[in-house]
Amino acid sequence: MEEDLFQLRQLPVVKFRRTGESARSEDDAASGEHEVQIEGVRAGLEAVELDDGAAVPKEFANPTDDTFMVEDAVEAIGFGKFQWKLSVLTGLAWMADAMEMMILSILAPQLHCEWRLPSWQVALLTSVVFVGMMSSSTLWGNISDQYGRKTGLKISVLWTLYYGILSAFAPVYSWILVLRGLVGFGIGGVPQSVTLYAEFLPMKARAKCILLIEVFWAIGTVFEVILAVFVMPSLGWRWLLILSAVPLLLFAVLCFWLPESARYDVLSGNQEKAIATLKRIATENGAPMPLGKLIISRQEDRGRMRDLFTPHFRWTTLLLWFIWFSNAFSYYGLVLLTTELFQAGDVCSSVLVTLWIIDRLGRKKTMALCFVIFSFCSLLLFICVGRNMLTLLLFIARAFISGGFQAAYVYTPEVYPTATRALGLGTCSGMARVGALITPFIAQVMLESSVYLTLAVYSGCCLLAALASCFLPIETKGRGLQESSHREWGQEMVGRGTHDTGVTRSNSGSQE
């Protein structure tokens, strides 16, 4: 602080016309101007005009307040070089996840022919991966909340990489079954990359960035198909498994560059580490750090399941579990019903649709709209339509159910506080895997008995999910991430100059 004060004394004292809510006179409030007095500095003020939306000059960042929160710093630093690097790194994790999932549709038929496997063993090879993901999602969330986002993500990636490569050397079916199940166990931690990613994103960029990460899923899917085309005929499936681990290997190497989440560090009492991380990001982005002292959050127990069921979050958790279940149940069900369509064909369209509506309608209404359109398209399939119309309806349905999935990935990290954010996302991801496990019994078994009953199940499920989206208690559009579960939701970012009891807040991260 002494160094900051010394630097300010060397600079002209300025008067800003665009300010937050600090102590000021009625005349100041009427004119929109406020004079900043610093002890030991001359009283003559030099007026500085700021255009609407213009940033405060670096030399005068946050001159009126002596405290700030991580949210304020993230908003003041903004989106820059650091976030671009983090986007690519998070995208690599999603690309690797997509490739591991796509391997299932390539590996199973190959082993069916090469090892003469019966159909139930081929199906079990796919199911065991989902069982691994379902059983581990909550565990990885708990680890990420208790020991850090970087720690949980790094362990899960290294786990997946190790068993992914090891499965290439499986001598018999029982070995590859166990090893692919362990791969699924590791993949269950990949969604935690979104937790870490969201905690470094400023509010206005958060939804768009998380949605655009989904593009890497499409890239991973296409890359795996191309890799299989060139590798399988000459080198075989074992080399395909090894080469498919390349994105994971890149991520494992580059993730050591990742800093720990500053929000997590503050919550766990590592204030100095949090400040060092924020300064590093500010330096990379060429942006100012707020002056003053970083507010230390109240220390809380992290990663406790019962915290997801406090009176404030009970309904949110239950409704989100059903929403995530419905997303995966309907999406993978439609995939099984439309295997003739290209696997990644709907991803780009769904990203564009969701990008356009999520910051206009809000997160809840976006999810509800996506579910309703999917249900409507499913109901239209009751009508005997031509092949072109059938393809169009299936394409639209897949685009919107994918959009609903992406909106859920935006909403879930935003709605939970830092102490349970990773656990909340992990449990939701686990419920999605339950939906993916159940859906083959509807899309394949029930379909043999009745096409109409099958479509009715998917349509009805999504209509209920649309209602669940509307009944979510909290809308997160335009809100900052909640730091502490002991505050009312969104108190950190409700408006300019919001004050906590007994603590002077910084304006640097307030909403406009």
Side-chain angles (χ1 to χ4, degrees), residues 100 155-165 182-190 245 248:
E100 290 295 336
I155 294 173
S156 70
V157 166
L158 291 174
W159 178 291
T160 307
L161 175 64
Y162 176 74
Y163 287 108
I165 293 176
L182 291 171
V183 168
F185 191 91
I187 294 176
V190 171
L248 277 175

Side-chain angles (χ1 to χ4, degrees), residues 20-23 64-67 69 295 487 491-507 510:
E21 293 181 4
S22 297
T64 63
D65 297 295
D66 59 355
T67 60
M69 299 182 69
I295 297 176
R487 289 194 174 104
Q491 185 173 337
E492 287 86 351
M493 293 288 289
V494 172
R496 284 192 178 275
T498 304
H499 293 267
D500 195 11
T501 305
V503 180
T504 303
R505 279 288 325 282
S506 163
N507 311 335
S510 309

Side-chain angles (χ1 to χ4, degrees), residues 194-498:
V194 176
T195 305
L196 181 63
Y197 187 47
E199 291 182 339
F200 280 119
L201 292 173
M203 181 174 52
K204 289 184 178 180
R206 192 181 304 124
K208 293 181 179 65
C209 290
I210 294 176
L211 290 175
L212 288 173
I213 286 299
E214 294 290 328
V215 174
F216 283 91
W217 180 279
I219 294 172
T221 303
V222 174
F223 183 71
E224 184 64 31
V225 172
I226 295 173
L227 193 64
V229 168
F230 287 99
V231 173
M232 288 285 283
S234 55
L235 299 176
W237 62 269
R238 297 182 187 276
W239 273 102
L240 179 65
L241 291 180
I242 294 173
L243 294 175
S244 296
V246 169
L248 277 175
L249 180 61
L250 287 174
F251 185 90
V253 172
L254 295 175
C255 76
F256 289 94
W257 165 85
L258 274 175
E260 181 54 83
S261 167
R263 298 175 192 270
Y264 170 82
D265 282 335
V266 167
L267 192 67
S268 59
N270 294 321
Q271 184 186 20
E272 292 182 1
K273 190 177 176 183
I275 291 174
T277 297
L278 293 171
K279 286 182 177 179
R280 169 187 164 184
I281 299 171
T283 301
E284 286 198 42
N285 288 5
M289 267 284 290
L291 300 178
K293 183 179 180 181
L294 178 64
I295 297 176
I296 302 176
S297 299
R298 174 177 172 179
Q299 301 301 296
E300 301 179 36
D301 291 328
R302 304 180 300 278
R304 298 186 305 181
M305 181 66 77
R306 66 175 178 268
D307 289 339
L308 299 180
F309 294 95
T310 60
H312 195 62
F313 287 107
R314 184 183 300 122
W315 277 110
T316 297
T317 297
L318 293 174
L319 290 171
L320 275 178
W321 281 6
F322 180 69
I323 288 167
W324 279 73
F325 170 89
S326 301
N327 265 316
F329 176 75
S330 303
Y331 177 79
Y332 287 109
L334 199 61
V335 168
L336 293 174
L337 291 171
T338 58
T339 52
E340 70 274 10
L341 291 181
F342 184 49
Q343 178 75 12
D346 63 318
V347 174
C348 291
S349 61
S350 65
V351 168
L352 293 175
V353 168
T354 316
L355 272 175
W356 191 78
I357 63 176
I358 196 166
D359 280 327
R360 289 172 171 81
L361 298 182
R363 281 55 161 155
K364 292 165 53 178
K365 290 180 181 178
T366 297
M367 289 188 286
L369 178 64
C370 289
F371 283 125
V372 167
I373 292 179
F374 176 89
S375 296
F376 180 69
C377 290
S378 299
L379 289 174
L380 287 179
L381 294 177
F382 278 86
I383 307 171
C384 294
V385 295
R387 183 173 180 81
N388 291 339
M389 181 57 68
L390 176 66
T391 302
L392 177 63
L393 289 174
L394 292 174
F395 182 84
I396 294 172
R398 286 186 64 180
F400 275 92
I401 198 64
S402 295
F405 224 147
Q406 293 155 14
Y409 263 110
V410 174
Y411 179 85
T412 306
E414 289 181 334
V415 78
Y416 287 111
T418 301
T420 54
R421 185 170 296 127
L423 181 62
L425 182 61
T427 56
C428 287
S429 179
M431 290 303 298
R433 308 309 175 187
V434 174
L437 270 173
I438 293 175
T439 200
F441 296 98
I442 306 299
Q444 294 174 329
V445 179
M446 185 181 287
L447 186 67
E448 295 178 359
S449 303
S450 173
V451 174
Y452 297 115
L453 181 59
T454 300
L455 294 174
V457 169
Y458 286 116
S459 181
C461 181
C462 281
L463 284 177
L464 290 175
L467 286 175
S469 301
C470 294
F471 282 117
L472 284 168
I474 301 166
E475 172 56 69
T476 61
K477 174 190 172 186
R479 297 279 193 168
L481 298 183
Q482 186 180 1
E483 301 293 352
S484 172
S485 58
H486 296 286
R487 289 194 174 104
E488 283 298 315
W489 194 93
Q491 185 173 337
E492 287 86 351
M493 293 288 289
V494 172
R496 284 192 178 275
T498 304

